[in-house]
Amino acid sequence: MAASNRKHIRLLAAILLSGVALLTLTPAASAWAQDTNIDSFNPKLPEDAKMLLSANELVYNKDAERVILRGAVQINYGGYQMVAQQVEYSQKTGRIIATGEIELIEPGGNRVYADQMDVTDDFGNGFIEQLRVETTDLTKLAAVSGERRNGEEMILNNAVYTACTPCATNPNYRSLWHVKAQRIVQNGKTHTIRMENAKFELFGKPILYLPVLEVPDHTVKRKSGFLFPKFGYTQKLGAGVSIPYYWAISPYMDATVTATGLTRQGFLLQGEFRQRFENGEHILSMAGISQMNRSSFTGNTVDAQETARGMIGSKARFEINPRWTFGWDVLVQSDNNFAKTYELSTFDGTTLTNQVYLTGLGKRNSFDARAFYFDIQDADPDSIAENQQAVAQVLDYSYTHPEPVLGGELTTDINLTNVRRNREDELVIPGIVDRFPGLEGTYHRLTADVEWKRNFIVPGGLSLTPILAARGDLIGSSMANPGIDYTGDFYSDDTATRRMLTAGIDARYPILLTTDYSSHIIEPIAQIFARPDEEYAGGLPNEDAQSFVFDATSLFDRDKFSGYDRIEGGTRANLGVRYTGALGNGYALRAIAGQSFHLGGLNSFATDDLVKAGSNSGLESDRSDYVAMVGIDAPSGITASFSSRFDERDLDMRRADATLGYQGILWQTAVTYTSIQAQPLYGSTSDQDEIQTAAAYKFADYWSVFGSVTYDLNSNVVTRNGVGITYDDRDTIFSLVYKEERDTDQSIANDWSIGARISFRTLGDINVGDTDFDGLN
């Protein structure tokens, strides 16, 4: 039957909306899980909505004032769709009755199934029998019956609620948990949902009984109240129970206060205050404790000596406009190990970077200004590591000219660095080396670097890229002279200027080889850079170019130093070959190998500086060490890579990194081997050889085990290890993790820990300790 214009068509609309009125069942699930745009107590429909209906039979009894639709009834009105075997409306009683395999789909996608609906035409009262609700976020609700009262309350009798994501692909799947309640009452006036005589069941067994539980409904975005407690256990803190309380202060402010009882250390109080603004947010974190049993910690550590301990942290980020961002992240604590010992979230790292920043990003330029202060969390009460850290301010600006300049690309980089340090940082290895990672005093440097390059493809396929670069530095320094312990020539004047001009060319000749089943690209690469000697080589402070690794990834860099404080000088050539292959059976290959040659002038990597940056690097001789890297990816999920540096004289391996991994449907694993030969002049007096392994295996649907081991080959000791098991069907997550770390320098407060987590989607989490895992999980 097509659409009708009868005056009683509005009554048929009421028939459809009778189901909408009973959709108050859906927010019962929403209170746990979701927000919805439908106000079930006041369903809104478009003013120009038209109704389409069809049925095998339509009967209008004028004498009885009754409209009846029978057989395969389908109604579509305002985005709502309903099917039933029969729908009846009585004008005398003002009741609407739908029966037989009722299915109602709302515009948002939620579905309601029922055997019978009986509701008044004003939707104020009514009931529904044998109902089932499926929401768009894959939660389910079932009840023997539901009743609507006074247009304000919806009462579900003998109701069951659960979340069931796997049901979307496996209708026969049964969720591990559900909540049963004798009555669920939703109040549209107070916007609350009250569950009476509720039981939480896991694996079909009741584990928690709640006489009354009241929660806000979907219309309430935030509500003050207690959150799920958290549990934990660590070796030196003991067992702990954390009870968080959430306080919704205003629409733009809230806070969480957490009280934690620790069996060995007493009462830990934490607080976090959050304030949102139109263009950003601010988070203020605080924590404090009066330690009850300091003797639980290792003797002669900060943890064992302090009683009253606390911290305060502030973090903010504001978007001034779409291109500019301003923010800060700072921490102040009573001692240098409190946050790490008590594993305070986001504050438990070994090195904490306090900073204030301003960043800007344009189409072809970028700006970044930051001020730094470093917190070193160390259990050694005599540690001076934090006082040796610099207070620094750094500004970086990069610009690429939007139009070609002489047919090439012109880029400019500017760096301004200001450093102040209260105490000299010196590493002394008697009879071997004295290194000075930092000097006492202040240091300022302004650097501008301009580079131009243009690519030419000559006949035959040869790619030539000439490169021109100019750099200038203005330096001011009042750092203390390292004295006679420093064997280099330290420049002690207050100011200095430094410049560097570079002319170079990059030549590449890619060769393509193809067969019926594979393709290969072999690309010989040659570079040469001509420039004068580095001025004041090794005689100036080196704050940002201390970390130096020569390998295949840096072989073709114009300046191989990692920062601005050192400049690569002299004439140098880099030679190598790059290979990329794709085989028809799905294998992919990649490789690069080469060597660098110092051709003339002063070799910057052979000069002494405060941190011995070029020592034992493989570049300190006229002919560098060989560097190579190779990798393979197999369609079976196996990946392998190997990177190494070999001595140019005897091919002795100086450094190596190898990784072998596999990722499949049921299991995944990775093994990493790292070998670094001793670099005594750089401060590393012994070989470093380490193997790291991690693996995860899915032994059943949703169940996995995982573990990792880190082994020091030279010390013959397992330095870190962990193992865990997890269940994850996206509705229920369970994890149990054991972690252990060997404490060789007393910087670790807790040597081992056990963590557990159980999470029920839409309900909440229960945490026992830390379940973050460094391996595969």
Side-chain angles (χ1 to χ4, degrees):
M1 180 175 291
S4 174
N5 292 321
R6 297 181 182 182
K7 64 179 181 179
H8 298 294
I9 199 68
R10 63 182 183 85
L11 303 180
L12 298 178
I15 294 173
L16 176 64
L17 291 182
S18 66
V20 177
L22 288 168
L23 267 174
T24 49
L25 305 179
T26 300
S30 301
W32 301 93
Q34 66 174 0
D35 291 333
T36 177
N37 293 325
I38 303 300
D39 186 341
S40 301
F41 288 98
N42 297 287
K44 297 179 180 179
L45 294 169
E47 294 182 0
D48 58 348
K50 296 181 179 180
M51 185 175 70
L52 298 174
L53 64 88
S54 67
N56 293 338
E57 181 181 4
L58 186 151
V59 178
Y60 175 57
N61 189 324
K62 185 176 180 180
D63 295 334
E65 298 182 273
R66 179 178 296 175
V67 178
I68 302 174
L69 297 173
R70 294 194 184 103
V73 180
Q74 298 184 37
I75 305 175
N76 190 320
Y77 185 67
Y80 294 92
Q81 302 174 57
M82 180 179 179
V83 298
Q85 292 181 350
Q86 179 172 300
V87 177
E88 179 179 339
Y89 173 69
S90 173
Q91 290 178 277
K92 288 184 178 181
T93 62
R95 301 195 72 87
I96 302 166
I97 299 174
T99 58
E101 300 180 2
I102 301 167
E103 179 180 357
L104 176 68
I105 304 175
E106 65 157 319
N110 292 340
R111 295 172 179 264
V112 179
Y113 303 90
D115 286 345
Q116 180 171 321
M117 289 182 180
D118 185 342
V119 65
T120 58
D121 57 7
D122 64 356
F123 316 133
N125 297 278
F127 67 88
I128 184 170
E129 293 183 358
Q130 300 297 327
L131 80 98
R132 182 164 52 91
V133 178
E134 296 179 0
T135 68
T136 55
D137 70 342
L138 301 177
T139 58
K140 291 187 174 184
L141 178 72
V144 174
S145 64
E147 183 178 359
R148 178 79 180 275
R149 291 181 180 176
N150 304 320
E152 290 184 353
E153 286 189 338
M154 184 64 199
I155 300 173
L156 305 179
N157 300 307
N158 297 322
V160 179
Y161 167 77
T162 190
C164 191
T165 301
C167 294
T169 55
N170 181 11
N172 297 322
Y173 179 83
R174 294 181 62 85
S175 180
L176 294 185
W177 62 269
H178 52 259
V179 179
K180 289 183 177 180
Q182 184 176 345
R183 292 207 322 167
I184 296 178
V185 181
Q186 181 186 16
N187 191 306
K189 186 175 182 179
T190 62
H191 300 286
T192 58
I193 296 175
R194 187 176 70 253
M195 286 164 282
E196 301 173 356
N197 296 323
K199 293 185 296 183
F200 178 81
E201 296 189 357
L202 185 64
F203 297 106
K205 303 296 182 182
I207 64 171
L208 182 63
Y209 171 71
L210 299 168
V212 177
L213 175 63
E214 187 171 276
V215 296
D217 70 10
H218 70 287
T219 63
V220 179
K221 303 301 182 182
R222 301 177 304 139
K223 186 176 180 64
S224 300
F226 288 99
L227 306 179
F228 273 90
K230 298 181 180 180
F231 306 90
Y233 182 85
T234 54
Q235 182 183 11
K236 295 172 182 178
L237 303 181
V241 179
S242 300
I243 301 176
Y245 180 83
Y246 176 77
W247 181 20
I249 303 172
S250 74
Y252 50 87
M253 286 190 295
D254 58 17
T256 303
V257 179
T258 304
T260 303
L262 299 164
T263 56
R264 293 186 178 179
Q265 300 304 331
F267 180 75
L268 174 69
L269 184 64
Q270 296 171 257
E272 185 174 274
F273 171 79
R274 297 167 292 271
Q275 184 172 7
R276 282 162 292 278
F277 302 89
E278 184 178 352
N279 63 339
E281 68 173 357
H282 173 236
I283 301 174
L284 181 67
S285 303
M286 295 168 284
I289 190 173
S290 179
Q291 294 189 148
M292 184 174 65
N293 185 9
R294 295 179 299 169
S295 61
S296 296
F297 297 104
T298 304
N300 195 33
T301 63
V302 170
D303 303 293
Q305 293 179 356
E306 298 292 333
T307 300
R309 310 178 73 180
M311 57 78 62
I312 182 169
S314 176
K315 183 176 182 179
R317 177 183 174 88
F318 299 96
E319 294 185 0
I320 302 172
N321 58 41
R323 293 188 176 185
W324 288 91
T325 302
F326 170 70
W328 65 83
D329 188 356
V330 297
L331 168 72
V332 177
Q333 54 183 340
S334 58
D335 58 78
N336 60 348
N337 209 42
F338 169 64
K340 185 177 182 182
T341 298
Y342 286 88
E343 299 178 348
L344 303 180
S345 177
T346 72
F347 298 106
D348 57 354
T350 299
T351 302
L352 295 173
T353 303
N354 297 273
Q355 60 178 314
V356 180
Y357 60 88
L358 174 66
T359 63
L361 181 63
K363 292 182 178 179
R364 303 184 67 85
N365 60 348
S366 63
F367 176 92
D368 190 301
R370 295 174 186 264
F372 295 97
Y373 175 81
F374 301 96
D375 259 326
I376 306 298
Q377 301 209 78
D378 192 341
D380 182 1
D382 299 321
S383 173
I384 60 173
E386 187 167 315
N387 289 330
Q388 293 174 331
Q389 299 302 306
V391 177
Q393 299 83 41
V394 180
L395 182 150
D396 284 290
Y397 177 76
S398 178
Y399 175 77
T400 300
H401 198 276
E403 302 294 335
V405 176
L406 299 178
E409 182 182 70
L410 182 67
T411 60
T412 301
D413 293 295
I414 297 175
N415 175 266
L416 174 63
T417 297
N418 177 63
V419 173
R420 179 173 178 78
R421 185 178 286 101
N422 294 326
R423 183 187 291 265
E424 181 179 85
D425 184 6
E426 181 181 7
L427 173 64
V428 179
I429 303 177
I432 300 179
V433 66
D434 282 354
R435 297 178 73 242
F436 298 87
L439 299 177
E440 181 180 353
T442 59
Y443 170 68
H444 319 278
R445 176 183 41 75
L446 175 62
T447 297
D449 185 280
V450 180
E451 181 187 75
W452 175 89
K453 59 183 178 182
R454 181 179 179 181
N455 180 249
F456 297 91
I457 305 297
V458 302
L462 178 65
S463 173
L464 296 177
T465 304
I467 300 171
L468 298 175
R471 169 177 163 171
D473 298 287
L474 179 61
I475 299 169
S477 175
S478 59
M479 286 188 162
N481 194 308
I484 60 174
D485 293 334
Y486 178 53
T487 58
D489 184 15
F490 184 74
Y491 184 79
S492 57
D493 288 358
D494 292 340
T495 61
T497 58
R498 185 174 57 177
R499 65 196 64 84
M500 178 62 67
L501 299 175
T502 302
I505 190 167
D506 179 295
R508 305 178 183 224
Y509 190 71
I511 303 170
L512 174 63
L513 305 175
T514 61
T515 69
D516 291 340
Y517 305 103
S518 64
S519 63
H520 310 267
I521 299 176
I522 301 174
E523 185 180 32
I525 303 173
Q527 293 177 328
I528 186 168
F529 295 102
R531 52 204 159 196
D533 294 344
E534 178 188 8
E535 296 181 279
Y536 311 109
L540 296 171
N542 181 358
E543 294 285 345
D544 71 350
Q546 299 184 8
S547 175
F548 184 79
V549 175
F550 173 54
D551 58 17
T553 63
S554 59
L555 173 62
F556 298 109
D557 289 348
R558 172 168 63 90
D559 189 331
K560 295 178 175 59
F561 282 112
S562 59
Y564 288 99
D565 284 335
R566 292 295 309 269
I567 307 176
E568 183 178 343
T571 300
R572 178 172 293 275
N574 304 311
L575 300 177
V577 60
R578 189 193 309 271
Y579 165 78
T580 303
L583 308 184
N585 54 6
Y587 284 83
L589 306 174
R590 59 193 182 279
I592 186 171
Q595 192 177 23
S596 183
F597 300 87
H598 178 72
L599 303 180
L602 179 66
N603 186 348
S604 295
F605 304 103
T607 59
D608 195 12
D609 80 351
L610 292 167
V611 296
K612 319 295 181 186
S615 301
N616 309 122
S617 65
L619 287 166
E620 66 273 19
S621 57
D622 288 343
R623 202 163 57 94
S624 79
D625 288 347
Y626 297 98
V627 290
M629 180 174 64
V630 62
I632 182 172
D633 298 315
S636 61
I638 296 176
T639 61
S641 64
F642 177 75
S643 176
S644 187
R645 194 183 97 221
F646 301 94
D647 188 274
E648 85 278 8
R649 293 165 297 181
D650 54 16
L651 295 181
D652 188 18
M653 189 169 65
R654 300 297 187 187
R655 183 186 182 100
D657 294 279
T659 300
L660 177 64
Y662 171 78
Q663 185 161 359
I665 297 176
L666 295 180
W667 66 284
Q668 53 184 310
T669 185
V671 179
T672 301
Y673 169 70
T674 301
S675 176
I676 304 175
Q677 197 174 70
Q679 298 174 268
L681 295 179
Y682 192 62
S684 177
T685 58
S686 60
D687 294 347
Q688 301 176 49
D689 297 275
E690 184 179 83
I691 292 180
Q692 300 180 43
T693 64
Y697 175 64
K698 182 180 180 180
F699 61 89
D701 286 344
Y702 313 117
W703 285 97
S704 300
V705 293
F706 48 88
S708 69
V709 176
T710 301
Y711 185 73
D712 188 329
L713 295 172
N714 297 318
S715 301
N716 294 320
V717 62
V718 175
T719 57
R720 296 183 299 275
N721 63 278
V723 65
I725 185 171
T726 185
Y727 173 90
D728 185 356
D729 66 5
R730 290 181 291 175
D731 292 322
T732 307
I733 300 174
F734 168 76
S735 295
L736 182 65
V737 176
Y738 170 83
K739 296 188 293 185
E740 187 174 8
E741 189 167 355
R742 300 295 183 274
D743 187 0
T744 57
D745 57 3
Q746 294 188 352
S747 64
I748 303 168
N750 302 297
D751 301 325
W752 60 268
S753 65
I754 296 176
R757 175 196 176 197
I758 186 166
S759 174
F760 305 107
R761 185 173 72 90
T762 75
L763 296 185
D765 294 355
I766 299 176
N767 293 285
V768 180
D770 181 15
T771 56
D772 290 338
F773 197 70
D774 295 332
L776 301 171
N777 57 347

